[in-house]
């Protein structure tokens, strides 16, 4: 109970709740579009962004890391959309080339930085270090992501699955593609301090992937993913405090464990349910 009176732990729980719900909600788009590998690529892109921020600012600070990661992820994500517009190169191919180039640049710069030892907190997360200003930034990004995603839910889904139909109905398909990648990048950067750039993909894939094993309702992927993401993130912080583990990896392990349980015991798509149905 002493932990709950600690201001650092209180902020960590609030940050986990906000980040978990916002990222869990947005994970519905990732699972429906089946572009989890793109999320992984963008999450690793944040490393060269952080190194760039250190070079530009001369020090590793919250602001330099956040802005550097945001800039790099936006450039790589939106750049891949722009390159693939000609239809000669697919977006996945463009993303792979741009992201590996950016990552190689970050790795090349890394040995020259005096602060490389401190980068561990940004690679794997340090949610207990979240400050009051970080909370407001996280809340702002989460609110923007949720508001835009809900207001434009129908045109976004139509663009993802039927771009030709969307264009015929007057939906600005190209703008929607840029918007989705922009929201994806914002969600990744928002989770940077909680789980780090290496593990942030877990928060943007696991919640909706777990829900998809439990129900066929599309709306449940978003709201159910948000609730599961929030529960998993808060549960991970609490469990890490009890077991004296790092919070970021624990959050991802909790979400991974929930996914495994759904895969095994899901009432319709679970492994045992399928075996029982085939044997009946």
């Amino acid at each position: 109970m002493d932990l709950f009176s600690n201001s650092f732990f209180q902020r960590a729980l609030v940050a986990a709740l906000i980040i978990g719900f916002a990222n869990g909600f947005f994970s519905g788009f990732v699972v429906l579009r089946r572009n989890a590998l793109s999320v992984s690529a963008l999450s690793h892109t944040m490393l060269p962004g952080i190194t760039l921020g250190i070079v530009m600012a001369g020090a590793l600070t919250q602001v330099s890391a956040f802005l550097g990661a945001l800039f790099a992820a936006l450039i790589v994500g939106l750049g891949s959309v722009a390159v693939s517009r000609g239809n000669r190169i697919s977006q996945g191919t463009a993303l792979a080339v741009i992201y590996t180039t950016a990552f190689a640049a970050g790795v090349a710069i890394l040995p020259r930085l005096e602060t490389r030892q401190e980068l561990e907190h940004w690679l794997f997360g340090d949610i207990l270090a979240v400050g009051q200003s970080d909370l407001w930034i996280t809340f702002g990004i989460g609110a923007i992501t949720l508001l835009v995603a809900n207001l434009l839910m129908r045109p976004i889904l139509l663009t993802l699955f039927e771009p030709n139909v969307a264009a015929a109905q007057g939906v600005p398909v190209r703008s929607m593609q840029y918007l989705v990648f922009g929201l994806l990048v914002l969600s990744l950067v928002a989770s940077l301090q909680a789980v780090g750039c290496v593990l942030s993909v877990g928060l943007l894939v696991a919640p909706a992937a777990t829900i998809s094993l439990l129900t066929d309702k599309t709306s449940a992927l978003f709201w159910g993913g948000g609730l599961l993401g929030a529960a998993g993130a808060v549960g991970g912080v609490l469990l890490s405090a009890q077991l004296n583990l790092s919070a970021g990896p624990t959050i991802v392990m909790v979400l991974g464990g929930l996914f495994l349980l759904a895969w095994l015991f899901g009432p319709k798509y679970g492994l045992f349910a399928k075996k029982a149905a085939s044997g009946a």
Side-chain angles (χ1 to χ4, degrees):
M1 294 302 296
D2 292 340
L3 279 175
F4 290 96
S5 61
N6 186 302
S7 59
F8 292 98
F9 195 72
Q10 292 171 357
R11 285 195 294 268
L13 288 175
V14 174
L17 182 67
I18 297 171
I19 294 169
F21 185 85
N23 284 30
F25 184 94
F26 197 83
S27 69
F29 292 110
V30 177
V31 170
L32 283 175
R33 192 63 180 88
R34 298 185 178 182
N35 61 345
L37 290 178
S38 298
V39 178
S40 179
L42 286 175
S43 69
H44 286 74
T45 300
M46 291 191 289
L47 172 62
I50 294 173
T51 60
L52 177 63
I54 297 172
V55 172
M56 297 297 292
L60 176 58
T61 64
Q62 306 276 47
V63 175
S64 66
F66 180 85
L67 292 180
L70 178 61
F71 176 78
L74 280 174
I75 290 297
V76 172
L78 299 182
S80 68
V81 176
V83 171
S84 63
R85 278 173 49 188
N87 295 326
R88 178 66 176 175
I89 301 295
S90 69
Q91 186 177 343
T93 301
L95 180 61
V97 173
I98 299 173
Y99 129 70
T100 50
T101 303
F103 192 80
V107 173
I109 296 172
L110 195 58
R112 298 176 177 272
L113 302 178
E114 297 179 358
T115 56
R116 58 183 180 273
Q117 296 296 329
E118 302 174 38
L119 278 173
E120 182 180 349
H121 297 306
W122 297 96
L123 290 175
F124 306 108
D126 187 12
I127 200 169
L128 292 176
V130 171
Q132 196 66 35
S133 60
D134 300 318
L135 269 184
W136 283 110
I137 293 174
T138 300
F139 176 78
I141 292 176
I144 291 171
T145 303
L146 291 172
L147 181 63
V148 173
N150 279 284
L151 288 176
L152 301 176
M153 178 70 74
R154 186 179 180 279
I156 288 176
L157 290 178
L158 195 59
T159 298
L160 292 178
F161 290 104
E162 297 290 346
N164 293 330
V165 175
Q169 294 185 5
V171 176
V173 173
R174 188 180 303 167
S175 298
M176 283 296 165
Q177 290 173 338
Y178 283 118
L179 176 64
V180 170
F181 255 85
L183 293 176
L184 174 60
V185 169
L186 284 176
S187 299
L188 279 172
V189 175
S191 63
L192 180 61
Q193 196 165 357
V195 294
C197 59
V198 174
L199 301 174
S200 57
V201 63
L203 271 175
L204 268 171
V205 177
T210 303
I211 297 298
S212 69
L213 293 171
L214 304 176
T215 179
D216 291 323
K217 291 183 63 176
T218 301
S219 60
L221 289 180
F222 299 101
W223 296 106
L227 292 174
L228 186 65
V234 171
V237 173
L238 294 173
L239 187 62
S240 68
Q242 292 296 318
L243 302 179
N244 195 26
L245 298 172
S246 298
T250 307
I251 291 172
V252 177
M253 286 191 294
V254 168
L255 291 172
L258 292 174
F259 174 80
L260 180 61
L261 289 174
W263 177 71
L264 289 173
F265 303 109
K268 186 175 181 180
Y269 298 108
L271 180 64
F272 294 120
K274 284 184 176 181
K275 285 187 175 182
S278 62

